[in-house]
Amino acid sequence: MTLVNLKPSDEFEFKPGQGKVLLLACGALGREIVDLIERNRWTGFDLQCLPAKWHNTPDKIVPALREKIRDAKPRYQSIFVLYGDCGTGGDIDKLLAEEGIERLEGPHCYAFFSGQETFARTADEDVTAFFLTDYLARHFDKLIWEGLGMDRHPELLPMYFGNYTKIVFLAQTRNEELAKKAMAAAKKLGLDYEYRYTGYGELERDLKARA
């Protein structure tokens, strides 16, 4: 099964070979994970993604991860979770400690892609930045503009984004169309725009270590 179009609500499985390691991931990372698996011809991974839109309802993430982990444990040598904290207030880490499962290091995907040290180093200058990844640039209207209700209630814009000054697009691929979408998002929100190419960052490094 090859992933073609990953939508914000998709929950899917990707099994390129006889996987011994199950990757449990947020759907917002699905396209990048599949690209890395195919590009490196890793056959030891199976991938299951949960809906990316759950970032708007993070209380759904931990119960779903618990169910997936307990179902998968008898069938895999190991499980690796590709989530940050994702608004769960530490509950993902509590669950993984209980289950003896590791996850990708870092608080969120912006740090995964930038690299932990780089993200920490630019934290002061980015304190008023709203970050977009390839996925968020691609689905900005659905996940953010409509997801936060600003398409129906534009008066909410200052409430959500009044303290931001810029959009920082952390790009995983050199894609002109996505850069245009990110610029359009910045204009829509009335924010400055900054582009930074990150590639796959520590996501690639950590997967390579487990391949």
Side-chain angles (χ1 to χ4, degrees):
M1 169 184 171
T2 297
L3 181 65
V4 179
N5 290 310
L6 179 63
K7 298 178 181 179
S9 61
D10 278 353
E11 180 175 358
F12 71 94
E13 293 186 357
F14 178 78
K15 295 184 177 182
Q18 299 298 314
K20 297 179 180 179
V21 178
L22 175 65
L23 305 176
L24 279 178
C26 172
L29 299 175
R31 185 183 295 262
E32 287 72 30
I33 296 168
V34 170
D35 183 53
L36 287 169
I37 289 173
E38 292 187 331
R39 185 154 55 110
N40 291 282
R41 298 181 181 179
W42 291 328
T43 59
F45 292 135
D46 285 351
L47 170 65
Q48 290 186 21
C49 282
L50 301 176
K53 67 177 182 179
W54 284 357
H55 280 276
N56 293 334
T57 52
D59 56 299
K60 295 181 179 180
I61 297 173
V62 170
L65 281 175
R66 180 181 291 109
E67 180 181 348
K68 296 288 186 183
I69 288 169
R70 292 182 178 177
D71 177 66
K73 269 187 173 180
R75 298 184 286 114
Y76 289 92
Q77 289 183 3
S78 64
I79 298 170
F80 187 50
V81 170
L82 293 103
Y83 265 92
D85 179 71
C86 301
T88 66
D91 285 347
I92 287 179
D93 284 332
K94 290 176 186 176
L95 168 67
L96 299 185
E98 292 169 5
E99 298 291 340
I101 301 294
E102 293 184 321
R103 74 166 174 90
L104 191 64
E105 185 178 352
H108 40 61
C109 56
Y110 314 128
F112 303 159
F113 290 134
S114 296
Q116 307 294 325
E117 290 184 8
T118 298
F119 194 84
R121 188 170 62 249
T122 60
D124 287 343
E125 66 185 80
D126 290 339
V127 70
T128 58
F130 184 78
F131 294 98
L132 295 180
T133 60
D134 279 13
Y135 181 86
L136 290 175
R138 185 178 289 111
H139 297 295
F140 173 82
D141 284 340
K142 187 69 176 178
L143 281 175
I144 298 169
W145 191 255
E146 296 174 20
L148 295 176
M150 291 182 292
D151 59 323
R152 303 178 300 281
H153 299 285
E155 68 274 12
L156 293 174
L157 178 58
M159 182 191 307
Y160 286 124
F161 291 95
N163 292 324
Y164 292 102
T165 62
K166 64 181 178 179
I167 272 185
V168 176
F169 177 32
L170 304 173
Q172 284 69 71
T173 56
R174 300 189 188 277
N175 186 313
E176 186 176 344
E177 288 304 310
L178 287 183
K180 288 179 180 178
K181 285 179 180 290
M183 282 187 277
K187 185 176 180 180
K188 205 167 189 175
L189 297 177
L191 302 177
D192 293 336
Y193 172 76
E194 185 176 334
Y195 174 91
R196 297 178 196 169
Y197 175 74
T198 66
Y200 296 125
E202 293 174 1
L203 174 65
E204 181 170 17
R205 181 203 67 188
D206 283 16
L207 288 179
K208 188 174 292 185
R210 289 165 173 79

